[in-house]
Amino acid sequence: MSAMTSKNPLQASSSRENIPTGEPLSVVSICLDKETWGILKLFADSTPVVRLQKHLSDYRMDDRESVLEWVGDPPPDICLLDFDSDRRSAAMVAERIHADAPETAIFAVSAQSQPDFIIQAMRSGCSEFLLKPLDPEQLLNAVARVGGRRKEKKEGDHAQVLAFIGAKGGCGVTTLVTQLGALLASTYGRKVLALDLHHDFGDAALYLGLTKYRYNFFELAENTERLDADLLQSFVLHHSSGLDLIPAPHGTEPARQTTPGALSYTLDFVRSRYEFILVDLPPGLNDANLELIRHCDQVNVVTVAEVSALRNVVRQTDYLTRKHITAERIKVVLNRHQKRALITEAQIEKSIGQKIFWKVPNQYVHVVKTISGGDPVSQISTSEVAKNLQDWAAAIGRKIGAEDKKKKGRGLLGFWNR
């Protein structure tokens, strides 16, 4: 504790990152021992960068309480969580906070520095591991990292992130992502990134004719501690349309297990560098997909007019709403639409309990030809499906001009450009 009183942390070494300015970061402590709590309180009293919001002395919350009711709503910027008195309970608390308040940075605090302890904390959703006795300089560096990320997120021109997930395999998600992304980039001059997040057999690179690459998104997410603009560019593939892509693994290696928070942290980093990010998610209800969806502005559930696919649409939307993804963010896209299909539009909308957001016509031969050529925009004026996707790209990507502003941004175009 003498280290705290002997010098002001703000005058410590210059090795730390940018100290946050303006509104202090709110901090909640959970089960910190008496000495660590004392150091934290002295730190808060001697620096303007943090504000202690509350101290929780028990890992357990009331069964009727939500995480946000427990830690505070709005949630704090930082939670300091002691892992020593009950490591299992601490890990469970970290997982719940990370799931329900993903914007909150969780700092694990422990006297143990064994690698397996650190890994357990990081897998639970902790972004920092601080050793006891708490060192003010170490704490200030960790707080500065959070403040830096908050500042970058606030000041950056953030991309709209649109997730695409199939009701089942083979619904044409990758085709929609690559063609829509290429149109946004080529026709409307938008800075667009496509992310292929299939652990196995992702095809986005193949559909764009970009078959020579070494790295994938999951490897990028494993390197969050050294993530910067130069590292990002070494992972990005560039298509002739102007669309950028970070591809999936080649499919010949085991699936990589990324630490909780790594995917969303990486997504937040690239978000400030693009106008649109289109995420090609594999089908399925799992933690990795949910982590990404929580950080997306909209999730497009892509289906076809088949009983099994429509049943899965209902399952997916129910799951997402139970996980607090609002219904307004979930849109259903009907691919390979035929006007005289066996299952009518009215029957589809009744079965899924919502309106169809977008209908893409069925022109299988054209789509296969486009994929084979590796150029999604080469035949833009020659097919109904291409014109349909161009209309979708226009609704999303056309920049507001003087005439549009007079209309006060009404309708679908206004929604996407607000």
Side-chain angles (χ1 to χ4, degrees):
M1 194 175 298
S2 59
M4 175 65 69
T5 57
S6 64
K7 61 180 180 178
N8 187 328
L10 292 179
Q11 297 174 343
S13 70
S14 60
S15 61
R16 62 179 175 274
E17 301 174 26
N18 293 330
I19 297 173
T21 57
E23 185 70 19
L25 300 178
S26 56
V27 176
V28 167
S29 65
I30 303 174
C31 296
L32 294 184
D33 60 69
K34 186 176 180 179
E35 180 182 359
T36 305
W37 165 249
I39 295 175
L40 176 61
K41 193 171 185 306
L42 282 171
F43 176 86
D45 290 341
S46 62
T47 69
V49 299
V50 297
R51 181 187 74 253
L52 293 184
Q53 192 163 298
K54 66 167 67 173
H55 174 68
L56 300 169
S57 58
D58 199 317
Y59 293 112
R60 293 172 296 179
M61 65 185 76
D62 192 293
D63 292 338
R64 293 168 294 180
E65 280 186 307
S66 68
V67 167
L68 292 184
E69 289 173 328
W70 192 56
V71 299
D73 191 6
D77 296 304
I78 299 169
C79 276
L80 266 72
L81 178 58
D82 198 305
F83 266 68
D84 283 347
S85 60
D86 188 340
R87 186 169 296 276
R88 183 173 179 274
S89 294
M92 292 174 64
V93 167
E95 288 174 359
R96 290 196 62 181
I97 295 172
H98 180 69
D100 292 354
E103 295 299 315
T104 297
I106 308 171
F107 295 178
V109 183
S110 176
Q112 306 296 321
S113 59
Q114 291 91 325
D116 57 327
F117 288 173
I118 298 175
I119 290 171
Q120 180 187 18
M122 295 305 171
R123 284 178 175 171
S124 301
C126 300
S127 59
E128 301 282 348
F129 193 92
L130 306 179
L131 285 174
K132 297 178 183 177
L134 204 58
D135 175 47
E137 177 70 8
Q138 182 189 26
L139 177 58
L140 184 61
N141 283 334
V143 170
R145 282 189 282 273
V146 175
R149 290 195 292 268
R150 294 285 191 275
K151 182 179 179 181
E152 183 176 284
K153 187 171 183 179
K154 184 177 181 180
E155 294 179 353
D157 293 323
H158 290 297
Q160 292 190 38
V161 183
L162 312 178
F164 293 76
I165 185 170
K168 64 183 188 69
C171 286
V173 171
T174 303
T175 300
L176 294 180
V177 168
T178 52
Q179 295 202 359
L180 193 60
L183 286 167
L184 284 169
S186 64
T187 306
Y188 299 100
R190 295 293 198 159
K191 194 172 183 182
V192 188
L193 174 69
L195 301 177
D196 189 341
L197 300 193
H198 289 251
H199 276 284
D200 302 303
F201 310 116
D203 291 326
L206 178 65
Y207 283 21
L208 294 170
L210 303 171
T211 56
K212 295 181 179 180
Y213 61 91
R214 293 178 58 190
Y215 305 116
N216 61 73
F217 180 80
F218 301 102
E219 291 175 306
L220 183 64
E222 289 176 349
N223 290 276
T224 55
E225 73 284 351
R226 61 187 191 93
L227 187 54
D228 58 21
D230 291 335
L231 181 66
L232 175 63
Q233 283 306 309
S234 68
F235 280 75
V236 172
L237 306 179
H238 305 284
H239 186 258
S240 58
S241 65
L243 173 66
D244 285 352
L245 168 71
I246 301 181
H250 282 287
T252 57
E253 57 188 62
R256 295 175 178 268
Q257 297 298 318
T258 54
T259 58
L263 297 180
S264 53
Y265 177 86
T266 307
L267 181 61
D268 278 345
F269 180 84
V270 300
R271 189 171 192 161
S272 64
R273 288 156 174 80
Y274 287 88
E275 294 178 276
F276 291 92
I277 297 176
L278 309 186
V279 184
D280 182 354
L281 289 171
L285 307 176
N286 54 62
D287 291 341
N289 278 356
L290 181 62
E291 181 181 346
L292 265 298
I293 288 172
R294 287 188 190 278
H295 288 259
C296 294
D297 299 291
Q298 179 173 305
V299 52
N300 298 283
V301 180
V302 182
T303 187
V304 292
E306 297 177 6
V307 173
S308 60
L310 297 175
R311 180 192 60 176
N312 287 347
V313 170
V314 175
R315 289 174 169 177
Q316 285 175 316
T317 53
D318 285 348
Y319 171 81
L320 292 173
T321 52
R322 286 200 312 271
K323 296 295 184 178
H324 309 295
I325 307 299
T326 60
E328 291 77 15
R329 291 166 60 191
I330 305 171
K331 306 295 182 183
V332 175
V333 176
L334 179 62
N335 198 15
R336 301 178 196 140
H337 168 59
Q338 301 180 75
K339 293 182 179 179
R340 297 183 179 181
L342 293 176
I343 305 177
T344 66
E345 291 178 37
Q347 289 172 322
I348 291 173
E349 291 180 340
K350 183 178 180 180
S351 68
I352 65 177
Q354 63 177 291
K355 292 287 186 181
I356 298 168
F357 171 70
W358 200 270
K359 299 185 288 285
V360 181
N362 184 26
Q363 286 194 305
Y364 182 76
V365 174
H366 166 78
V367 171
V368 170
K369 185 176 181 180
T370 302
I371 293 171
S372 300
D375 188 356
V377 297
S378 60
Q379 303 177 56
I380 190 61
S381 62
T382 63
S383 73
E384 185 182 352
V385 67
K387 292 177 181 178
N388 175 277
L389 292 177
Q390 188 177 39
D391 289 342
W392 191 355
I396 297 172
R398 187 167 69 88
K399 297 180 180 179
I400 295 179
E403 292 302 315
D404 297 312
K405 290 179 181 178
K406 290 179 182 179
K407 297 177 183 178
K408 298 181 181 180
R410 294 178 181 175
L412 181 64
L413 180 62
F415 172 80
W416 281 112
N417 289 280
R418 63 187 179 185

